[in-house]
PDB file of all heavy atoms in Angstrom:
ATOM      1  N   LYS U 977       0.823  -1.212   0.000  1.00  0.00           N
ATOM      2  CA  LYS U 977       0.000   0.000   0.000  1.00  0.00           C
ATOM      3  C   LYS U 977       0.856   1.261   0.000  1.00  0.00           C
ATOM      4  O   LYS U 977       0.492   2.285   0.612  1.00  0.00           O
ATOM      5  CB  LYS U 977      -0.975  -0.008   1.190  1.00  0.00           C
ATOM      6  CG  LYS U 977      -1.952  -1.173   1.158  1.00  0.00           C
ATOM      7  CD  LYS U 977      -2.927  -1.121   2.315  1.00  0.00           C
ATOM      8  CE  LYS U 977      -3.907  -2.306   2.251  1.00  0.00           C
ATOM      9  NZ  LYS U 977      -4.870  -2.291   3.383  1.00  0.00           N
ATOM     10  N   GLU U 978       1.997   1.199  -0.699  1.00  0.00           N
ATOM     11  CA  GLU U 978       2.905   2.329  -0.821  1.00  0.00           C
ATOM     12  C   GLU U 978       3.214   2.591  -2.286  1.00  0.00           C
ATOM     13  O   GLU U 978       2.949   1.756  -3.159  1.00  0.00           O
ATOM     14  CB  GLU U 978       4.205   2.074  -0.054  1.00  0.00           C
ATOM     15  CG  GLU U 978       4.020   1.973   1.451  1.00  0.00           C
ATOM     16  CD  GLU U 978       5.325   1.669   2.175  1.00  0.00           C
ATOM     17  OE1 GLU U 978       6.190   0.983   1.584  1.00  0.00           O
ATOM     18  OE2 GLU U 978       5.465   2.089   3.328  1.00  0.00           O
ATOM     19  N   VAL U 979       3.805   3.759  -2.554  1.00  0.00           N
ATOM     20  CA  VAL U 979       4.247   4.093  -3.904  1.00  0.00           C
ATOM     21  C   VAL U 979       5.691   4.588  -3.852  1.00  0.00           C
ATOM     22  O   VAL U 979       6.136   5.177  -2.869  1.00  0.00           O
ATOM     23  CB  VAL U 979       3.370   5.194  -4.558  1.00  0.00           C
ATOM     24  CG1 VAL U 979       1.972   4.664  -4.824  1.00  0.00           C
ATOM     25  CG2 VAL U 979       3.329   6.467  -3.720  1.00  0.00           C
ATOM     26  N   TYR U 980       6.425   4.326  -4.945  1.00  0.00           N
ATOM     27  CA  TYR U 980       7.688   4.996  -5.195  1.00  0.00           C
ATOM     28  C   TYR U 980       7.357   6.220  -6.030  1.00  0.00           C
ATOM     29  O   TYR U 980       6.625   6.110  -7.027  1.00  0.00           O
ATOM     30  CB  TYR U 980       8.647   4.100  -5.980  1.00  0.00           C
ATOM     31  CG  TYR U 980       9.055   2.824  -5.276  1.00  0.00           C
ATOM     32  CD1 TYR U 980       8.737   1.585  -5.822  1.00  0.00           C
ATOM     33  CD2 TYR U 980       9.772   2.855  -4.092  1.00  0.00           C
ATOM     34  CE1 TYR U 980       9.127   0.407  -5.200  1.00  0.00           C
ATOM     35  CE2 TYR U 980      10.168   1.689  -3.456  1.00  0.00           C
ATOM     36  CZ  TYR U 980       9.843   0.466  -4.014  1.00  0.00           C
ATOM     37  OH  TYR U 980      10.228  -0.694  -3.403  1.00  0.00           O
ATOM     38  N   TRP U 981       7.912   7.383  -5.686  1.00  0.00           N
ATOM     39  CA  TRP U 981       7.520   8.570  -6.418  1.00  0.00           C
ATOM     40  C   TRP U 981       8.605   9.646  -6.374  1.00  0.00           C
ATOM     41  O   TRP U 981       9.514   9.593  -5.545  1.00  0.00           O
ATOM     42  CB  TRP U 981       6.206   9.124  -5.864  1.00  0.00           C
ATOM     43  CG  TRP U 981       6.339   9.779  -4.510  1.00  0.00           C
ATOM     44  CD1 TRP U 981       6.541   9.147  -3.319  1.00  0.00           C
ATOM     45  CD2 TRP U 981       6.285  11.180  -4.219  1.00  0.00           C
ATOM     46  NE1 TRP U 981       6.616  10.058  -2.292  1.00  0.00           N
ATOM     47  CE2 TRP U 981       6.459  11.321  -2.823  1.00  0.00           C
ATOM     48  CE3 TRP U 981       6.089  12.319  -4.988  1.00  0.00           C
ATOM     49  CZ2 TRP U 981       6.451  12.561  -2.186  1.00  0.00           C
ATOM     50  CZ3 TRP U 981       6.084  13.554  -4.358  1.00  0.00           C
ATOM     51  CH2 TRP U 981       6.266  13.669  -2.987  1.00  0.00           C
ATOM     52  N   ALA U 982       8.493  10.594  -7.291  1.00  0.00           N
ATOM     53  CA  ALA U 982       9.394  11.748  -7.338  1.00  0.00           C
ATOM     54  C   ALA U 982       8.716  12.872  -8.102  1.00  0.00           C
ATOM     55  O   ALA U 982       7.794  12.643  -8.891  1.00  0.00           O
ATOM     56  CB  ALA U 982      10.722  11.384  -8.004  1.00  0.00           C
ATOM     57  N   ARG U 983       9.184  14.087  -7.871  1.00  0.00           N
ATOM     58  CA  ARG U 983       8.676  15.274  -8.568  1.00  0.00           C
ATOM     59  C   ARG U 983       9.562  15.622  -9.751  1.00  0.00           C
ATOM     60  O   ARG U 983      10.787  15.440  -9.694  1.00  0.00           O
ATOM     61  CB  ARG U 983       8.643  16.479  -7.625  1.00  0.00           C
ATOM     62  CG  ARG U 983       7.546  16.450  -6.591  1.00  0.00           C
ATOM     63  CD  ARG U 983       7.575  17.744  -5.774  1.00  0.00           C
ATOM     64  NE  ARG U 983       6.446  17.836  -4.880  1.00  0.00           N
ATOM     65  CZ  ARG U 983       5.259  18.310  -5.209  1.00  0.00           C
ATOM     66  NH1 ARG U 983       5.053  18.748  -6.439  1.00  0.00           N
ATOM     67  NH2 ARG U 983       4.279  18.365  -4.328  1.00  0.00           N
ATOM     68  N   TYR U 984       8.959  16.170 -10.804  1.00  0.00           N
ATOM     69  CA  TYR U 984       9.676  16.564 -12.009  1.00  0.00           C
ATOM     70  C   TYR U 984       9.260  17.974 -12.425  1.00  0.00           C
ATOM     71  O   TYR U 984       8.094  18.351 -12.282  1.00  0.00           O
ATOM     72  CB  TYR U 984       9.387  15.587 -13.156  1.00  0.00           C
ATOM     73  CG  TYR U 984      10.007  14.239 -12.924  1.00  0.00           C
ATOM     74  CD1 TYR U 984       9.416  13.322 -12.061  1.00  0.00           C
ATOM     75  CD2 TYR U 984      11.212  13.887 -13.533  1.00  0.00           C
ATOM     76  CE1 TYR U 984      10.006  12.095 -11.807  1.00  0.00           C
ATOM     77  CE2 TYR U 984      11.801  12.661 -13.287  1.00  0.00           C
ATOM     78  CZ  TYR U 984      11.199  11.778 -12.421  1.00  0.00           C
ATOM     79  OH  TYR U 984      11.788  10.559 -12.161  1.00  0.00           O
ATOM     80  N   ALA U 985      10.233  18.712 -12.974  1.00  0.00           N
ATOM     81  CA  ALA U 985       9.931  20.024 -13.551  1.00  0.00           C
ATOM     82  C   ALA U 985       9.372  19.867 -14.955  1.00  0.00           C
ATOM     83  O   ALA U 985       8.531  20.647 -15.402  1.00  0.00           O
ATOM     84  CB  ALA U 985      11.177  20.898 -13.579  1.00  0.00           C
ATOM     85  N   ASP U 986       9.857  18.859 -15.646  1.00  0.00           N
ATOM     86  CA  ASP U 986       9.391  18.501 -16.988  1.00  0.00           C
ATOM     87  C   ASP U 986       9.852  17.075 -17.251  1.00  0.00           C
ATOM     88  O   ASP U 986      10.415  16.436 -16.363  1.00  0.00           O
ATOM     89  CB  ASP U 986       9.917  19.478 -18.058  1.00  0.00           C
ATOM     90  CG  ASP U 986      11.432  19.611 -18.032  1.00  0.00           C
ATOM     91  OD1 ASP U 986      12.138  18.570 -18.013  1.00  0.00           O
ATOM     92  OD2 ASP U 986      11.929  20.759 -18.034  1.00  0.00           O
ATOM     93  N   ALA U 987       9.650  16.586 -18.452  1.00  0.00           N
ATOM     94  CA  ALA U 987       9.929  15.177 -18.745  1.00  0.00           C
ATOM     95  C   ALA U 987      11.401  14.794 -18.598  1.00  0.00           C
ATOM     96  O   ALA U 987      11.723  13.615 -18.456  1.00  0.00           O
ATOM     97  CB  ALA U 987       9.457  14.850 -20.159  1.00  0.00           C
ATOM     98  N   ARG U 988      12.305  15.780 -18.609  1.00  0.00           N
ATOM     99  CA  ARG U 988      13.735  15.490 -18.541  1.00  0.00           C
ATOM    100  C   ARG U 988      14.390  15.893 -17.233  1.00  0.00           C
ATOM    101  O   ARG U 988      15.568  15.602 -17.026  1.00  0.00           O
ATOM    102  CB  ARG U 988      14.462  16.203 -19.697  1.00  0.00           C
ATOM    103  CG  ARG U 988      14.093  15.710 -21.075  1.00  0.00           C
ATOM    104  CD  ARG U 988      14.674  16.617 -22.152  1.00  0.00           C
ATOM    105  NE  ARG U 988      14.418  16.101 -23.493  1.00  0.00           N
ATOM    106  CZ  ARG U 988      13.267  16.213 -24.125  1.00  0.00           C
ATOM    107  NH1 ARG U 988      12.238  16.820 -23.523  1.00  0.00           N
ATOM    108  NH2 ARG U 988      13.115  15.731 -25.344  1.00  0.00           N
ATOM    109  N   THR U 989      13.652  16.574 -16.352  1.00  0.00           N
ATOM    110  CA  THR U 989      14.277  17.182 -15.178  1.00  0.00           C
ATOM    111  C   THR U 989      13.613  16.741 -13.883  1.00  0.00           C
ATOM    112  O   THR U 989      12.489  17.160 -13.577  1.00  0.00           O
ATOM    113  CB  THR U 989      14.217  18.726 -15.273  1.00  0.00           C
ATOM    114  OG1 THR U 989      14.669  19.146 -16.554  1.00  0.00           O
ATOM    115  CG2 THR U 989      15.069  19.357 -14.183  1.00  0.00           C
ATOM    116  N   ARG U 990      14.309  15.894 -13.122  1.00  0.00           N
ATOM    117  CA  ARG U 990      13.785  15.468 -11.816  1.00  0.00           C
ATOM    118  C   ARG U 990      14.193  16.484 -10.755  1.00  0.00           C
ATOM    119  O   ARG U 990      15.337  16.915 -10.704  1.00  0.00           O
ATOM    120  CB  ARG U 990      14.293  14.074 -11.475  1.00  0.00           C
ATOM    121  CG  ARG U 990      13.826  13.574 -10.109  1.00  0.00           C
ATOM    122  CD  ARG U 990      13.878  12.046  -9.994  1.00  0.00           C
ATOM    123  NE  ARG U 990      15.059  11.457 -10.557  1.00  0.00           N
ATOM    124  CZ  ARG U 990      16.197  11.285  -9.906  1.00  0.00           C
ATOM    125  NH1 ARG U 990      16.314  11.711  -8.640  1.00  0.00           N
ATOM    126  NH2 ARG U 990      17.223  10.710 -10.493  1.00  0.00           N
ATOM    127  N   LEU U 991      13.239  16.824  -9.878  1.00  0.00           N
ATOM    128  CA  LEU U 991      13.476  17.834  -8.842  1.00  0.00           C
ATOM    129  C   LEU U 991      13.806  17.231  -7.488  1.00  0.00           C
ATOM    130  O   LEU U 991      14.468  17.875  -6.669  1.00  0.00           O
ATOM    131  CB  LEU U 991      12.236  18.726  -8.691  1.00  0.00           C
ATOM    132  CG  LEU U 991      11.846  19.562  -9.915  1.00  0.00           C
ATOM    133  CD1 LEU U 991      10.519  20.265  -9.654  1.00  0.00           C
ATOM    134  CD2 LEU U 991      12.938  20.570 -10.231  1.00  0.00           C
ATOM    135  N   THR U 992      13.336  16.015  -7.213  1.00  0.00           N
ATOM    136  CA  THR U 992      13.524  15.412  -5.891  1.00  0.00           C
ATOM    137  C   THR U 992      14.097  14.013  -6.016  1.00  0.00           C
ATOM    138  O   THR U 992      13.977  13.361  -7.058  1.00  0.00           O
ATOM    139  CB  THR U 992      12.186  15.322  -5.130  1.00  0.00           C
ATOM    140  OG1 THR U 992      11.294  14.449  -5.838  1.00  0.00           O
ATOM    141  CG2 THR U 992      11.552  16.692  -4.991  1.00  0.00           C
ATOM    142  N   GLU U 993      14.698  13.551  -4.945  1.00  0.00           N
ATOM    143  CA  GLU U 993      15.145  12.164  -4.889  1.00  0.00           C
ATOM    144  C   GLU U 993      13.929  11.238  -4.781  1.00  0.00           C
ATOM    145  O   GLU U 993      12.909  11.616  -4.202  1.00  0.00           O
ATOM    146  CB  GLU U 993      16.071  11.946  -3.701  1.00  0.00           C
ATOM    147  CG  GLU U 993      17.407  12.664  -3.810  1.00  0.00           C
ATOM    148  CD  GLU U 993      18.198  12.212  -5.023  1.00  0.00           C
ATOM    149  OE1 GLU U 993      18.286  10.986  -5.248  1.00  0.00           O
ATOM    150  OE2 GLU U 993      18.714  13.074  -5.744  1.00  0.00           O
ATOM    151  N   PRO U 994      14.004  10.047  -5.358  1.00  0.00           N
ATOM    152  CA  PRO U 994      12.882   9.110  -5.226  1.00  0.00           C
ATOM    153  C   PRO U 994      12.602   8.781  -3.759  1.00  0.00           C
ATOM    154  O   PRO U 994      13.529   8.702  -2.941  1.00  0.00           O
ATOM    155  CB  PRO U 994      13.371   7.868  -5.984  1.00  0.00           C
ATOM    156  CG  PRO U 994      14.422   8.381  -6.912  1.00  0.00           C
ATOM    157  CD  PRO U 994      15.094   9.500  -6.178  1.00  0.00           C
ATOM    158  N   SER U 995      11.330   8.596  -3.445  1.00  0.00           N
ATOM    159  CA  SER U 995      10.906   8.272  -2.086  1.00  0.00           C
ATOM    160  C   SER U 995       9.903   7.132  -2.132  1.00  0.00           C
ATOM    161  O   SER U 995       9.316   6.847  -3.180  1.00  0.00           O
ATOM    162  CB  SER U 995      10.250   9.481  -1.416  1.00  0.00           C
ATOM    163  OG  SER U 995      11.129  10.572  -1.343  1.00  0.00           O
ATOM    164  N   VAL U 996       9.696   6.500  -0.987  1.00  0.00           N
ATOM    165  CA  VAL U 996       8.641   5.499  -0.847  1.00  0.00           C
ATOM    166  C   VAL U 996       7.742   5.934   0.300  1.00  0.00           C
ATOM    167  O   VAL U 996       8.213   6.215   1.401  1.00  0.00           O
ATOM    168  CB  VAL U 996       9.209   4.083  -0.621  1.00  0.00           C
ATOM    169  CG1 VAL U 996      10.094   3.999   0.613  1.00  0.00           C
ATOM    170  CG2 VAL U 996       8.085   3.053  -0.550  1.00  0.00           C
ATOM    171  N   ASP U 997       6.442   6.051   0.023  1.00  0.00           N
ATOM    172  CA  ASP U 997       5.499   6.558   1.018  1.00  0.00           C
ATOM    173  C   ASP U 997       4.129   5.939   0.812  1.00  0.00           C
ATOM    174  O   ASP U 997       3.796   5.473  -0.283  1.00  0.00           O
ATOM    175  CB  ASP U 997       5.351   8.081   0.895  1.00  0.00           C
ATOM    176  CG  ASP U 997       6.585   8.839   1.334  1.00  0.00           C
ATOM    177  OD1 ASP U 997       6.852   8.874   2.551  1.00  0.00           O
ATOM    178  OD2 ASP U 997       7.278   9.398   0.454  1.00  0.00           O
ATOM    179  N   ARG U 998       3.325   5.999   1.857  1.00  0.00           N
ATOM    180  CA  ARG U 998       1.911   5.681   1.721  1.00  0.00           C
ATOM    181  C   ARG U 998       1.221   6.858   1.035  1.00  0.00           C
ATOM    182  O   ARG U 998       1.492   8.021   1.383  1.00  0.00           O
ATOM    183  CB  ARG U 998       1.277   5.421   3.092  1.00  0.00           C
ATOM    184  CG  ARG U 998       1.722   4.109   3.726  1.00  0.00           C
ATOM    185  CD  ARG U 998       1.005   3.869   5.045  1.00  0.00           C
ATOM    186  NE  ARG U 998       1.373   2.576   5.597  1.00  0.00           N
ATOM    187  CZ  ARG U 998       0.763   1.438   5.312  1.00  0.00           C
ATOM    188  NH1 ARG U 998      -0.277   1.447   4.477  1.00  0.00           N
ATOM    189  NH2 ARG U 998       1.161   0.301   5.843  1.00  0.00           N
ATOM    190  N   PRO U 999       0.362   6.591   0.073  1.00  0.00           N
ATOM    191  CA  PRO U 999      -0.289   7.696  -0.641  1.00  0.00           C
ATOM    192  C   PRO U 999      -0.960   8.709   0.285  1.00  0.00           C
ATOM    193  O   PRO U 999      -0.868   9.923   0.046  1.00  0.00           O
ATOM    194  CB  PRO U 999      -1.299   6.975  -1.527  1.00  0.00           C
ATOM    195  CG  PRO U 999      -0.679   5.641  -1.776  1.00  0.00           C
ATOM    196  CD  PRO U 999       0.009   5.277  -0.502  1.00  0.00           C
ATOM    197  N   ALA U1000      -1.603   8.234   1.340  1.00  0.00           N
ATOM    198  CA  ALA U1000      -2.299   9.161   2.235  1.00  0.00           C
ATOM    199  C   ALA U1000      -1.342  10.145   2.890  1.00  0.00           C
ATOM    200  O   ALA U1000      -1.730  11.275   3.207  1.00  0.00           O
ATOM    201  CB  ALA U1000      -3.058   8.372   3.307  1.00  0.00           C
ATOM    202  N   ASP U1001      -0.090   9.734   3.080  1.00  0.00           N
ATOM    203  CA  ASP U1001       0.876  10.594   3.753  1.00  0.00           C
ATOM    204  C   ASP U1001       1.395  11.722   2.859  1.00  0.00           C
ATOM    205  O   ASP U1001       2.004  12.669   3.357  1.00  0.00           O
ATOM    206  CB  ASP U1001       2.069   9.764   4.255  1.00  0.00           C
ATOM    207  CG  ASP U1001       1.666   8.795   5.359  1.00  0.00           C
ATOM    208  OD1 ASP U1001       0.618   9.016   5.989  1.00  0.00           O
ATOM    209  OD2 ASP U1001       2.400   7.807   5.574  1.00  0.00           O
ATOM    210  N   ILE U1002       1.198  11.594   1.541  1.00  0.00           N
ATOM    211  CA  ILE U1002       1.678  12.631   0.621  1.00  0.00           C
ATOM    212  C   ILE U1002       0.529  13.293  -0.136  1.00  0.00           C
ATOM    213  O   ILE U1002       0.751  14.016  -1.103  1.00  0.00           O
ATOM    214  CB  ILE U1002       2.702  12.048  -0.384  1.00  0.00           C
ATOM    215  CG1 ILE U1002       2.081  10.903  -1.195  1.00  0.00           C
ATOM    216  CG2 ILE U1002       3.956  11.588   0.344  1.00  0.00           C
ATOM    217  CD1 ILE U1002       2.978  10.393  -2.324  1.00  0.00           C
ATOM    218  N   ALA U1003      -0.691  13.066   0.329  1.00  0.00           N
ATOM    219  CA  ALA U1003      -1.876  13.557  -0.384  1.00  0.00           C
ATOM    220  C   ALA U1003      -1.820  15.063  -0.601  1.00  0.00           C
ATOM    221  O   ALA U1003      -2.161  15.560  -1.681  1.00  0.00           O
ATOM    222  CB  ALA U1003      -3.140  13.172   0.375  1.00  0.00           C
ATOM    223  N   ASP U1004      -1.392  15.811   0.410  1.00  0.00           N
ATOM    224  CA  ASP U1004      -1.350  17.263   0.282  1.00  0.00           C
ATOM    225  C   ASP U1004      -0.335  17.717  -0.760  1.00  0.00           C
ATOM    226  O   ASP U1004      -0.488  18.784  -1.360  1.00  0.00           O
ATOM    227  CB  ASP U1004      -1.013  17.906   1.626  1.00  0.00           C
ATOM    228  CG  ASP U1004      -2.130  17.756   2.646  1.00  0.00           C
ATOM    229  OD1 ASP U1004      -3.253  17.430   2.232  1.00  0.00           O
ATOM    230  OD2 ASP U1004      -1.870  17.958   3.851  1.00  0.00           O
ATOM    231  N   GLN U1005       0.702  16.907  -0.988  1.00  0.00           N
ATOM    232  CA  GLN U1005       1.757  17.282  -1.923  1.00  0.00           C
ATOM    233  C   GLN U1005       1.413  16.963  -3.376  1.00  0.00           C
ATOM    234  O   GLN U1005       1.940  17.599  -4.283  1.00  0.00           O
ATOM    235  CB  GLN U1005       3.061  16.562  -1.557  1.00  0.00           C
ATOM    236  CG  GLN U1005       3.571  16.854  -0.161  1.00  0.00           C
ATOM    237  CD  GLN U1005       4.815  16.059   0.140  1.00  0.00           C
ATOM    238  OE1 GLN U1005       5.845  16.183  -0.534  1.00  0.00           O
ATOM    239  NE2 GLN U1005       4.753  15.214   1.169  1.00  0.00           N
ATOM    240  N   VAL U1006       0.528  15.979  -3.581  1.00  0.00           N
ATOM    241  CA  VAL U1006       0.281  15.514  -4.955  1.00  0.00           C
ATOM    242  C   VAL U1006      -1.135  15.778  -5.463  1.00  0.00           C
ATOM    243  O   VAL U1006      -1.403  15.602  -6.648  1.00  0.00           O
ATOM    244  CB  VAL U1006       0.603  14.009  -5.097  1.00  0.00           C
ATOM    245  CG1 VAL U1006       2.041  13.717  -4.702  1.00  0.00           C
ATOM    246  CG2 VAL U1006      -0.361  13.159  -4.269  1.00  0.00           C
ATOM    247  N   ALA U1007      -2.026  16.194  -4.590  1.00  0.00           N
ATOM    248  CA  ALA U1007      -3.413  16.422  -5.005  1.00  0.00           C
ATOM    249  C   ALA U1007      -3.472  17.499  -6.091  1.00  0.00           C
ATOM    250  O   ALA U1007      -2.934  18.591  -5.931  1.00  0.00           O
ATOM    251  CB  ALA U1007      -4.271  16.831  -3.819  1.00  0.00           C
ATOM    252  N   GLY U1008      -4.082  17.168  -7.207  1.00  0.00           N
ATOM    253  CA  GLY U1008      -4.245  18.122  -8.296  1.00  0.00           C
ATOM    254  C   GLY U1008      -3.033  18.304  -9.177  1.00  0.00           C
ATOM    255  O   GLY U1008      -3.119  18.956 -10.224  1.00  0.00           O
TER     256      GLY U1008
END
């Protein structure tokens, strides 16, 4: 019940290191 995820500025540019989290714990960061 977790995801591996990271943020990107565009298709070629990653902004953050990959993380593993429960979706509910990052809901505020990824909603919308």
Side-chain angles (χ1 to χ4, degrees):
K977 299 182 180 179
E978 295 178 329
V979 292
Y980 297 118
W981 72 287
R983 286 183 173 274
Y984 290 79
D986 55 49
R988 295 170 176 78
T989 311
R990 178 158 42 87
L991 297 174
T992 63
E993 293 300 314
S995 300
V996 58
D997 290 289
R998 289 183 176 272
D1001 293 340
I1002 59 173
D1004 291 344
Q1005 301 177 60
V1006 303

